[in-house]
Amino acid sequence: MSGNIQLLTDTLAGAKAEGRSALIAYLPAGFPTVDGGIEAIKAVFDGGADVVEVGLPHSDPVLDGPVIQTADDIALRGGVKIADVMRTVREAYEATGKPVLVMTYWNPIDRYGVERFTAELAEAGGAGCILPDLPVQESALWREHAEKHGLATVFVVAPSSKDARLAQITAAGSGFVYAASLMGVTGTRESVGAQAQDLVERTRATGSGLPVCVGLGVSNAQQAAEVAGFADGVIVGSAFVKRMLDAPDDAAGVEAVRELAGKLAKGVRGQA
């Protein structure tokens, strides 16, 4: 079975055709439980997200701030496995028909086996992977299997990335480019900053044609509207996770992320 890179491409193109940015949400698998995480992802889609990134919980998440680290810890203590991540992708995709990616560090894939991981992700209906710590020059094996199975390879670029490096990354990537809005870890910020707009412009200037989506720091509709003014997609993670961490119970958490997705969806449409 082939993965859903085309669905991802079509979804981002569809948002652009509507004159808006896509809303991309992030939630870790297995948080607060595997079943609870699946329900939260469905709720985020129901609230207005176009794409969801499912986080593969990791014990040493170098890009993730304290909020996502807390959620990862809960998932790992709950015994989450890669099989649960695949189940999360499958059930979220089958319930919504919308693109679902996995965001993961390289070590779990390396240990699991690249061929096995890509084959299972495609079979689950996944659209691809975001790989924040896989250097592009070491990515040939992954890209070979991802392409064979119809999966996007999304690389992360940062404000510190030089233009030559951006060209190398965009030439190798597919689906979209994840532009980290600032140097640092994930988390909500007071402002997203001018660095992000400059990075988007420099990434687009490589001529790859890949959509450029901005993450790190977006937490409310006003920030989503600001980023939507210059990016093809707005990525929100910590704000969703925090809503669930702060909720009195799982059901309230699901409703809280549905409500936030609705507000952010208005933001990317300029209706905030």
Side-chain angles (χ1 to χ4, degrees), residues 32 35-44 243-244 247 249-260:
D35 288 342
I38 292 167
E39 290 309 307
I41 291 167
K42 290 179 187 175
V44 165
R243 288 287 180 105
M244 293 185 68
D249 55 54
D250 292 357
V254 167
E255 287 312 306
V257 295
R258 189 195 317 272
E259 178 193 23
L260 178 59

Side-chain angles (χ1 to χ4, degrees), residues 81-243:
K81 301 285 191 293
I82 287 179
D84 299 313
V85 177
M86 297 299 178
R87 182 188 147 210
T88 299
V89 171
R90 176 181 287 105
E91 294 195 16
Y93 167 65
E94 288 180 350
T96 65
K98 294 182 178 178
V100 183
L101 299 117
V102 169
M103 185 165 187
T104 180
Y105 298 98
W106 179 246
N107 188 50
I109 295 177
D110 194 35
R111 291 180 62 185
Y112 197 72
V114 177
E115 170 60 26
R116 180 184 177 196
F117 190 94
T118 50
E120 289 183 9
L121 182 56
E123 194 273 328
C129 251
I130 301 164
L131 301 158
D133 67 341
L134 178 63
V136 66
Q137 65 269 25
E138 297 174 20
S139 66
L141 178 66
W142 163 267
R143 287 187 286 123
E144 175 192 336
H145 288 289
E147 192 171 336
K148 181 170 79 171
H149 290 291
L151 298 169
T153 297
V154 179
F155 289 112
V156 178
V157 298
S160 60
S161 301
K162 301 285 190 274
D163 290 350
R165 178 80 173 160
L166 291 177
Q168 188 182 20
I169 289 170
T170 57
S174 56
F176 64 92
V177 179
Y178 186 126
S181 65
L182 40 78
M183 302 303 294
V185 297
T186 59
T188 61
R189 301 289 197 287
E190 290 300 314
S191 65
V192 179
Q195 281 188 338
Q197 185 165 357
D198 176 66
L199 178 58
V200 169
E201 289 170 359
R202 290 196 298 120
T203 304
R204 283 189 180 138
T206 64
S208 73
L210 286 177
V212 185
C213 304
V214 171
L216 273 66
V218 179
S219 61
N220 58 49
Q222 288 71 33
Q223 288 173 333
E226 177 195 345
V227 174
F230 58 82
D232 298 297
V234 180
I235 303 170
V236 182
S238 295
F240 283 115
V241 175
K242 191 171 190 311
R243 288 287 180 105

